[in-house]
Each structure stands twice: as C-alpha cells, then as structure tokens.
Amino acid sequence: MLERVKAALPALPPAEQRVAKLLLADARSFASLPVSELADRSHVSKPTVVRFCRSVGYDGLADFKLKLAGSVNEGVPFVHRAVDEDDKPGDIIVKVVDNAVAALLHYRNDAASHAFERAIEALADSARHNKRIEFYGVGNSGIVAQDAQHKFFRLGVNTVATSDGHVQLMSATMLQPGDCAVIISNSGRSRDLLDAADIARKKGATIIIITASASPLAQLALGPNQILLAVDHPEDFDRYSPMVSRLLHLIAVDILTTGVALKLGQHLRPVLQEIKKNLRAKRYAG
C-alpha cells in the first residue's frame, strides 16, 4: 500500500503530495487520526485529504484508513526473500511459500474495491448483452489470460484469450463499444500489449488493465472507459520466472470471475447445472 503511494507521489497535485508525505512519515498515526487533524497537519483542506485517497485508488478516506490499518497492523512485513544458489530444498519451500503468503496479504489490503466494482459491472454488462470479452497477455501473463478465458467460458460468456501480438492487434481492431478487453501484464511494458490497449481504447471498448501501477500500461487506464486493477510487488522478474505476480494476477481474475457470476445470478445457474450434468455423463460413460 505504501509502495503504491510512493509510486504515485510525483504525479499527485502539490496539496495531495503533502498528504502523501504525512502518510509516509507515520502511517500508523495516519490510520488513527480524524480527517480534521490530517488536514491540519498536512496544511490542506479536508476535501483534499479525501481526494488524495481517491487519487491513489481507494473509495475515500474511510476505505483508505481501513486498508491502511490492516496493512500497518498486519504483522507480516513483505520482505521479498530471493532464492539463493546454495539454498537447500527446505529453504526454498520456506522462501517461496512465505513470499506468496505475504504478497497475498498485502494485495488484500492494497486492492481497490471501487476499481474492481467498475470492472465487474463492465464485464457483467458485456455478458448480459452478449458482447465480446477479450483477454490479452504475453508469456507468463498469456497463461493467466488463458485461465481467465476458461473461467469466463464456463459462465457462458462470449470470450477468447490471445497471446500472439499480431492476433491481439487484429482482435482489438474489431472491438466495439460495449465490448471489454482485459489486458494482463507483469511488467506493463510489452509493446504488443500497449498497442492492443491503445487500439481497443480508440474503438470505444472498455479496457481493464491488470498490471503494476507505475508502468506505461497503467498510464493508459486513465479515461472513463479504462479501469486499472493495480498489482504491485517487489519480485525481480528479470532473474526468475514471475511466480508471485502470477499468483496475484490469478487472484485478480478469480475476484472478477466471482463478482461477475454473482451479478449474473439466476440467469447463470441453469448453464452451470447443465455443464456439470454433461461432464458427469462423460466421466461415467463406458
């Protein structure tokens, strides 16, 4: 959470920067002080404190302080413990599991609920009107895109996943208003994904971007039909396969899938029951 604020600090207006610096100086006190005290200490107005919370991806001051309190009181500091060449299997187990657990707990506190709310509503609306939902990713993120397509396919949604840059550009070109493009990237710097996101935006589709908050790809999610689901982590993706980021991206996809399933409600239940029936019949045939 504090890492996100640090990354966003240069882009904030001067008054909101003062609020951010107060937070970074003493996060624990920030979580407990009333808005009037926060405004006085930052030398800003009370509405500026609320605007700061929204600028960094939260619903408002109450949502921000709730997540912040959970973060500073968690007792699980995220110190990424890189695997070393001389580590024994027992060391590898502890480091890999600890990194994953700590990352998930921090993401629980960092995830912006209002951004997920917008994304879920957009995806559910596309599903209701039989519009297209496209999942784009390359490399490791391409596998996450395939997982997302599999989950949404089971909801009876018109969706595909593509990991080829040329196909992504062609697919994005055919998008229309009401369609959704979900773009997944660990680094947020893939040229193919940047181009696909830009084309989808120009075609009027809603773009939902799952990536690091300070990346070039995240900067494309600033308009009314663009939604950023920020996933930040300290993993060195140049040295090892991005393990933690993959888990966080899969969690983000699971949140979206669950939210859309709940939105579709009664309409979805007969489809899932029929799928289960047909799979059961195939499993026991012969």
Side-chain angles (χ1 to χ4, degrees):
M1 189 170 184
L2 297 180
E3 287 79 5
R4 178 187 296 183
V5 173
K6 289 178 184 177
L9 185 61
L12 294 173
E16 292 182 26
Q17 286 188 13
R18 291 199 290 273
V19 181
K21 290 175 181 178
L22 177 67
L23 164 70
L24 295 173
D26 189 352
R28 193 175 297 276
S29 293
F30 193 102
S32 61
L33 291 173
V35 63
S36 57
E37 183 71 15
L38 293 173
D40 289 343
R41 294 192 181 190
S42 304
H43 305 291
V44 299
S45 66
K46 289 188 283 188
T48 298
V49 176
V50 177
R51 282 196 298 272
F52 157 75
C53 297
R54 290 175 177 160
S55 294
V56 294
Y58 296 87
D59 292 342
L61 181 60
D63 179 49
F64 183 86
K65 290 176 72 173
L66 179 65
K67 300 288 181 63
L68 178 62
S71 178
V72 297
N73 296 322
E74 194 73 75
V76 187
F78 193 160
V79 178
H80 189 80
R81 304 169 63 194
V83 176
D84 298 316
E85 293 180 359
D86 59 349
D87 278 344
K88 296 179 174 60
D91 299 323
I92 296 172
I93 291 171
V94 170
K95 287 184 176 182
V96 171
V97 173
D98 281 359
N99 288 341
V101 170
L104 291 172
L105 288 173
H106 276 259
Y107 185 63
R108 182 193 66 186
N109 293 329
D110 284 355
S113 58
H114 78 284
F116 271 101
E117 183 177 359
R118 290 179 58 209
I120 289 168
E121 187 56 51
L123 291 165
D125 192 60
S126 294
R128 291 190 195 101
H129 294 90
N130 200 32
K131 304 293 286 187
R132 295 170 59 195
I133 298 176
E134 308 277 332
F135 293 98
Y136 303 153
V138 296
N140 193 70
S141 297
I143 297 172
V144 178
Q146 292 175 10
D147 178 78
Q149 188 273 336
H150 175 71
K151 288 185 169 72
F152 273 77
F153 172 76
R154 293 189 63 187
L155 302 183
V157 175
N158 181 17
T159 179
V160 297
T162 57
S163 57
D164 180 273
H166 290 86
V167 177
Q168 288 168 356
L169 293 183
M170 291 186 289
S171 175
T173 302
M174 292 186 286
L175 292 174
Q176 299 176 0
D179 295 332
C180 285
V182 182
I183 302 166
I184 306 165
S185 175
N186 179 36
S187 68
R189 290 174 170 78
S190 166
R191 185 72 257 169
D192 288 340
L193 293 178
L194 285 166
D195 291 342
D198 189 50
I199 292 172
R201 178 182 58 82
K202 290 177 179 176
K203 299 299 291 188
T206 298
I207 59 172
I208 299 168
I209 298 176
I210 303 175
T211 193
S213 59
S215 66
L217 189 57
Q219 301 308 306
L220 294 178
L222 300 177
N225 289 327
Q226 291 93 53
I227 303 166
L228 173 63
L229 303 179
V231 176
D232 296 306
H233 56 88
E235 186 173 48
D236 182 2
F237 55 84
D238 290 325
R239 183 177 179 186
Y240 298 111
S241 173
M243 296 177 284
V244 171
S245 65
R246 183 189 68 245
L247 292 175
L248 296 178
H249 290 165
L250 289 169
I251 286 291
V253 167
D254 283 350
I255 294 169
L256 293 175
T257 306
T258 303
V260 171
L262 292 173
K263 286 282 185 182
L264 297 180
Q266 295 297 324
H267 170 73
L268 176 63
R269 189 168 299 169
V271 177
L272 294 178
Q273 288 175 341
E274 187 172 2
I275 290 174
K276 185 180 294 185
K277 175 184 175 182
N278 290 336
L279 288 174
R280 188 183 296 114
K282 179 177 177 62
R283 187 176 300 124
Y284 294 110

